[in-house]
Amino acid sequence: MSEKNAAKALKEKLFYKKVNGRQGADETLLKSVDDYCEGYKKFLNTSKTEREAAKNAIEMAKKHGFAPFEQGKKYNAGDKVYVNNRGKTVAFIVIGKQPAEKGVNITAAHIDSPRLDLKQNPLYEEIELALFKTHYYGGIRKYQWTAVPLALHGVFALKDGSVIEVSLGEKDDEPKFVVNDLLPHLATEQNKRTLADGIKGEELNVLVGSHPFKDDSESELVKLNVLKLLNEKYGITETDFLSAELELVPAFKASDIGFDRSMIGSYGQDDRVCAYPALTAVLEVENPEKTAIAILTDKEEIGSDGNTGLNSDFLRYVVTDIAAMQGGDGTVALRNSKCLSADVNAGIDPTFQDVMERKNAARLNYGVVVTKFTGSRGKAGTSDASAEYVAEIRAMLDKADITWQTGELGKVDIGGGGTVAMYIANMGVDVVDLGVPVLSMHAPFETTAKFDVYMCYRAMYEFMK
Ligand code: MN
Ligand code: MN
C-alpha cells in the first residue's frame, strides 16, 4: 500500500464525515420522503395557528385510537390517550409496558409560529380606509411582512361563553388582507433607516376595507361598514375584539421548491416541521417498552411562558398523572425520563454563509440535526445536553440508519436563540435538541428540505417506539 492510500484509509477510519443524504439514496427511500411530505404540506395548509394545529392533531389522533385522558381511570400498556390543554397545547401518550417511574420517552415540538396579532382595540379609519392595529408575535423581521397576502385566523370569545372561530383568506375566493409599504419612488427617507427599523412595529397596520357605509352625515363610515360586515358574518360588535385572539398569517399555501421539487416552502415550518413528525410518529407507536409522549406546545416563540407554554407545569403534571395512575411517583418518573426537544435549527444559506461557522452548521439534505446546545453569549439560556445522552441518541440514530448531522445557531458571537429544551431539562429530564434545518427562519415563507423532514420523522419514531 502506498503512503497516499494509507492516509486515505486512515482518514476513512478516523475522520468525521458528513454526508448529503440525497446522494446515494435509493428510489424507495426518495419515494417515502416525497409521500411523507405530501401529508406534511396538507397539515401546514390547515394548521396555521396553534389552535388549528392542536385541533387537527387531535382529529388525526382519534382516528388512530387516541381518547381523552381521564383522571382516575386505569390504563394499561398500549393504551393511547391525549391531554388537551386549552386547545393550544396537547400531549399524546401511548402507555408503555414498563411503569412510568422507569422513565418515559418525550418528544416536544411547538405549534405556534411568528405572526401579526391584532391589538385588543384594533379597528380604525384613516383617510377613508379601514385598518387593524397589530402587535407582532415572536421574533419577526418586520420588513418581511409588508406587501404579502395575509389571512385572518382566530377566535372571538363572547361574554356568554361562546367562542366564534374565524378563518378568512385561505380559500381562493376569500378576501385577503395586507400591510402596505412605501413605493421606492418616495422611500428616500425610509431607505436611510436601518433594516431593523425599515418597518416599525406601529407601521404594521393591516388594510381591511375601503367601502363607506351609505350615510354622508356621519364620520368613520368605512370602519362602520367593516363592523356591519363583521356583525353580519360573526354576530360581533367592536367591543368583542376586547376578548378575541385574532392573528394574521401569510395566506399562501405550502409548495414544493426547486426544479427537482426536493424542498418545501411554507409559512409556519418553525416548528410544524418538527411537530408533524412528532405527531405522526406517536400515532404509529404500538405497545412501546416505555411510555411515549409527544407534546405539541404553544408559546415557544414568545419564551414558553404562560399556562400553555412549556415553562408551565403542564408536562410535569402529565407525567405525574400517568405515574400516579400506576401507583408511582411523578418526580421519579421525570428524573428517569428522556426527551428529544424537536425544534428547527438554521441551515446554511449560500448567500449568507458569513453568520455560520461551517464545520458546525447544519446543511439542507444532511438529515435531521442534533443540537447539543443553543443559547447565546457563552451558552447562556440553554440546556447543554450531556455527552452521555448525546452518545445515546447518536447510537440510536446510527443503529436505525437515520441520516443526521450536528448544528449550532450561528457563529459564537453573532446571535443565538433558544428552544423548549431547557424547560424540560429543568425538570430533571435528559434532553437534546433535534430537528430540521430551515432557511429564512421566521419569515412569512420558510424553506426546508424534504429529506430532512422525513429523517426527523424517523428519528421521532425510533425514539418513542
Ligand atoms: Mn422553533
Ligand atoms: Mn422560532
Side-chain angles (χ1 to χ4, degrees), residues 110 112-114 139 270-271 300-301 343-344 418 441-442 446:
H110 67 94
D112 61 321
S113 295
D270 174 8
D271 184 35
E300 194 279 340
E301 294 296 355
D343 208 342
V344 298
M441 194 197 295
H442 286 203
E446 304 169 304

Side-chain angles (χ1 to χ4, degrees), residues 186-462:
L186 298 179
T188 314
E189 285 306 310
Q190 189 195 31
N191 285 343
K192 290 176 191 163
R193 296 183 189 176
T194 60
L195 195 53
D197 277 331
I199 291 290
K200 296 175 184 174
E202 293 295 349
E203 293 170 340
L204 289 169
N205 302 320
V206 185
L207 189 61
V208 300
S210 74
H211 181 79
F213 181 73
K214 277 194 182 73
D215 181 342
D216 56 6
S217 66
E218 286 289 332
S219 63
E220 297 186 287
L221 294 176
V222 177
K223 171 180 166 176
L224 179 63
N225 192 59
V226 165
L227 277 172
K228 178 176 167 280
L229 293 170
L230 288 172
N231 182 263
E232 284 163 8
K233 192 168 170 69
Y234 302 111
I236 61 107
T237 67
E238 190 178 15
T239 319
D240 294 321
F241 277 106
L242 301 181
S243 53
E245 276 176 12
L246 293 164
E247 302 153 7
L248 286 145
V249 299
F252 28 71
K253 303 262 180 290
S255 55
D256 290 346
I257 296 283
F259 292 113
D260 53 19
R261 311 185 80 120
S262 60
M263 297 165 283
I264 295 173
S266 171
Y267 164 69
Q269 297 207 69
D270 174 8
D271 184 35
R272 286 162 206 140
V273 73
C274 299
Y276 184 75
L279 173 67
T280 48
V282 79
L283 297 189
E284 280 164 31
V285 170
E286 300 283 351
N287 283 306
E289 203 53 43
K290 291 192 170 174
T291 293
I293 302 179
I295 181 164
L296 307 188
T297 187
D298 181 27
K299 296 286 180 281
E300 194 279 340
E301 294 296 355
I302 56 169
S304 295
D305 290 319
N307 62 6
T308 55
L310 264 196
N311 196 16
S312 72
D313 282 329
F314 175 66
L315 179 58
R316 183 193 307 277
Y317 291 141
V318 164
V319 175
T320 302
D321 284 350
I322 296 164
M325 178 266 293
Q326 298 166 335
D329 183 277
T331 312
V332 176
L334 282 164
R335 204 178 296 139
N336 290 325
S337 291
K338 296 176 194 303
C339 172
L340 291 181
S341 164
D343 208 342
V344 298
N345 201 332
I348 309 188
D349 186 318
T351 312
F352 302 107
Q353 297 186 45
D354 279 3
V355 297
M356 297 298 207
E357 183 269 285
R358 288 184 65 131
K359 271 184 75 64
N360 286 286
R363 293 174 66 167
L364 262 59
N365 287 326
Y366 277 63
V368 67
V369 49
V370 175
T371 307
K372 188 171 179 294
F373 52 86
T374 55
S376 55
R377 292 163 287 102
K379 297 192 181 181
T382 185
S383 155
D384 192 351
S386 74
E388 290 87 343
Y389 186 52
V390 176
E392 216 179 296
I393 298 302
R394 239 183 93 189
M396 176 197 85
L397 295 169
D398 285 345
K399 191 177 166 208
D401 202 20
I402 293 167
T403 309
W404 68 282
Q405 57 183 325
T406 60
E408 67 173 357
L409 204 43
K411 277 182 180 166
V412 175
D413 285 332
I414 290 262
T419 67
V420 299
M422 61 177 165
Y423 305 112
I424 300 171
N426 289 347
M427 294 191 288
V429 177
D430 269 323
V431 188
V432 70
D433 273 301
L434 178 145
V436 175
V438 180
L439 303 183
S440 297
M441 194 197 295
H442 286 203
F445 199 70
E446 304 169 304
T447 303
T448 58
K450 290 181 179 179
F451 183 83
D452 303 332
V453 181
Y454 184 67
M455 286 299 154
C456 183
Y457 154 73
R458 287 205 51 219
M460 297 291 151
Y461 179 72
E462 204 58 36

Side-chain angles (χ1 to χ4, degrees), residues 49-64:
T49 65
E50 61 277 357
R51 284 179 191 268
E52 292 173 358
K55 195 174 169 183
N56 291 333
I58 288 171
E59 264 170 39
M60 287 164 70
K62 280 180 174 168
K63 286 181 192 147
H64 281 79

